[in-house]
C-alpha cells in the first residue's frame, strides 16, 4: 500500500505550500434547478473556487472547494461562501454540520422565543426532529399529536363547526391548531401541520400530498399567522418528511419576519394568506 | 452479460426441480446471544433449513433458508419458522415485511382497541412510528409531547407534587402520563415515555439513558398499568429509538396480557411493578 500511495496518490494531492478548504451551504425550499440558476457562472466547471450542488432528502447543498496559496484561498473562499448565502437568502439555514432543526433552535434561543407544535399527518415527526437536537428543552415546550378530530377540538380548541365546514385538512384548521398550540402551551410560536399523507384519505380538490402548514407568532399584543398550502408528491414517508421540514422552514421565515410572499417549493398554486389579527 | 449469466451464474442457482424458500422472523427485547442460545442446534451451519440471525437497530431477525424438493421444503420450512416463533415467544412480533408498529397496529385493530401516547424525551418519535403505518387512524387517537413539566401537568394531569417528589424521570410520572393520555383521549390504551436522552440531564442515580416507560390499559372497569425502568446506552438518537421501540413492545405485551415478569433487554436491575388499581 505504501508505494501505491507515495507514487500514485500523493502526487495528485500535492498542493505545494497551498491549502484546500471546503464548505457546504444548505438550503430548503428553492428547487435545485432554480438554486443552480441563481448561482449562474459560479457553477462553471472552470470556476475557482469550484461550486457544485447536491440534493438529499429535499435539502439542497452547495459544495465549495478552494485550493491554492493560503492567502488567495482565504480571500476567495470566504467571499464565495458569502455570495452563495446572499443569493440563496432567505432559504439558507446553515453551513456544514448545521441541520434545519438546529438552525431553528438557535434562532429561537437567540430571540428567547419558545415553540410548541401541533401535528396531524406527521404524527410527531416535527417534534421528534426538534427534540433530536441536544439542548432543545431551552426553547421547545412540547406539542400535540391531534390525529383524530376530537383531539383537535379538546386539546387545541379547534371549533367543531370549523372542522365540519372546512374539513380537518384546511387552511382554517391549520391556523387554529397553530394558535391553539401556542396559546395552550404558553409558547411564543406555534407551528401546525394537517394533511393527507396517503395512500388513502384523498377528497375532491385535496389529493394525497395536500398539506396545510401554519405558524402563529406572538409579537407584542398581536398574533401574526401564516399559512401555506403544499402539494407534496411521493410515498407516505416522503410526504411526512417534507411536511415536517417545510414547517421548520416556515418557522424560520416567521422568526426572520419573511412574509408569505417568499415562495417555497411544493407550494400549491392556491393563494396563500398572511393575517395579523389582534389577540 | 448474457453469456456471463448463462455460463457462470445460472448453474449455481440451479435447484433441479427443487425450490428455495426464505423467511425472516423478527423480535425485539431478547438480546442476540440469548436469542441464539434459544435456537440452539437449529443454528448449526450444517442444519437444514439453514438458520442465522442478524441485528439491525435493535431488531433481532432469524433468517431461514430451505432448499430442495418442493415437498420436503414445504414441510420443513413451515415447521422451522413455527419453532423459532415458539422459542422466541412472546418477543416475536412479525415475519418478513412486518414492522413493530405494524404488528402493534394490527393487534389494536383486531381487539378494536385504541391507543394514545405521551412522550417526553422521544419528542414524538413514538407517535411518528405509529402514524408511519397507513391506516393508523383506525386505532391511533393521538398524543402529547410534554417536553416541559408545565405541559405534563396541564395536559396530562401529572400532579405538581409528584413531579417535585420524584422528578419528571420516574416510575410515578411515567404511570401518570400513560393514564393521563388514555383518559384524556378516551383511548383504551395509553403509552408513555419519560427519560434522559442526553448528553445533559443526568442526575445522581439516573444516568443518561435512564428511561421509564409505562403502559395503561383499560379493561372493564379497571386500569392495568405496567411500568419498567430501562438504561439504554449510546447516543441521543439511539436512546430515543430504543425507547420508542421498547414502548411499542410493552404495548404488545400489555395487549397479550404478558406480565412485567417477562424481561426486556436494557431493563435496569431496579424492581419493576405491576399494578391493578380500581378506577
Amino acid at each position: 500500500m505504501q508505494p501505491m500511495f507515495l507514487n500514485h496518490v500523493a502526487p495528485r494531492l500535492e498542493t505545494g505550500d497551498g491549502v484546500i478548504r471546503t464548505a457546504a451551504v444548505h438550503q430548503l425550499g428553492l428547487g435545485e434547478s432554480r438554486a443552480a440558476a441563481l448561482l449562474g457562472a459560479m457553477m462553471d466547471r472552470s470556476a475557482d473556487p469550484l461550486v457544485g450542488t447536491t440534493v438529499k432528502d429535499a435539502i439542497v447543498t452547495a459544495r465549495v472547494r478552494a485550493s491554492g496559496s493560503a492567502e488567495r484561498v482565504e480571500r476567495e473562499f470566504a467571499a464565495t461562501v458569502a455570495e452563495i448565502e446572499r443569493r440563496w437568502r432567505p432559504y439558507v439555514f446553515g453551513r456544514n454540520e448545521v441541520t434545519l432543526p438546529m438552525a431553528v433552535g438557535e434562532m429561537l434561543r437567540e430571540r428567547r422565543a419558545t415553540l410548541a407544535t401541533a401535528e396531524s399527518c406527521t404524527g410527531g415527526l416535527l417534534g421528534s426532529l426538534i427534540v433530536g437536537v441536544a439542548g432543545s428543552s431551552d426553547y421547545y415546550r412540547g406539542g400535540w399529536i391531534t390525529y383524530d378530530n376530537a383531539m383537535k377540538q379538546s386539546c387545541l380548541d379547534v371549533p367543531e363547526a370549523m372542522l365540519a365546514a372546512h374539513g380537518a385538512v384546511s387552511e382554517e384548521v391549520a391556523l387554529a391548531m397553530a394558535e391553539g398550540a401556542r396559546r395552550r402551551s404558553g409558547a411564543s410560536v406555534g407551528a401546525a401541520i394537517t394533511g393527507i399523507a396517503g395512500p388513502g384519505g384523498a377528497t375532491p380538490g385535496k389529493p394525497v400530498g395536500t398539506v396545510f402548514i401554519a405558524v402563529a407568532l406572538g409579537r407584542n399584543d398581536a398574533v401574526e399567522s401564516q399559512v401555506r398550502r403544499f402539494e407534496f408528491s411521493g410515498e407516505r414517508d416522503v410526504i411526512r418528511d417534507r411536511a415536517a421540514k417545510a414547517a421548520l422552514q416556515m418557522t424560520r421565515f416567521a422568526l426572520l419576519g419573511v412574509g408569505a410572499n417568499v415562495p417555497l417549493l411544493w407550494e400549491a398554486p392556491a393563494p396563500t394568506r398572511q393575517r395579523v389579527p389582534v389577540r
Side-chain angles (χ1 to χ4, degrees), chain A residues 140-216:
Chain A
Y140 185 54
R141 284 281 168 270
W144 287 262
I145 306 169
T146 52
Y147 205 52
D148 81 346
N149 284 349
M151 279 186 65
K152 290 185 183 75
Q153 295 172 45
S154 65
C155 298
L156 298 172
D157 311 313
V158 179
E160 189 173 2
M162 182 188 281
L163 287 161
H166 303 284
V169 179
S170 63
E171 206 172 278
E172 289 79 3
V173 170
L175 281 165
M177 287 170 66
E179 297 193 10
R182 196 191 66 79
R183 194 176 53 247
R184 285 265 193 139
S185 67
S188 43
V189 187
I193 301 172
T194 179
I196 304 160
T203 58
K206 291 176 188 167
V208 167
T210 301
V211 178
F212 291 87
I213 303 179
V215 175

Side-chain angles (χ1 to χ4, degrees), chain A residues 48 98 120 136 198 205 208 219 230 235 254 264:
Chain A
D48 183 19
V98 174
S120 185
S136 48
V208 167
R219 218 192 277 278
F230 296 91
E235 297 285 313
L264 282 169

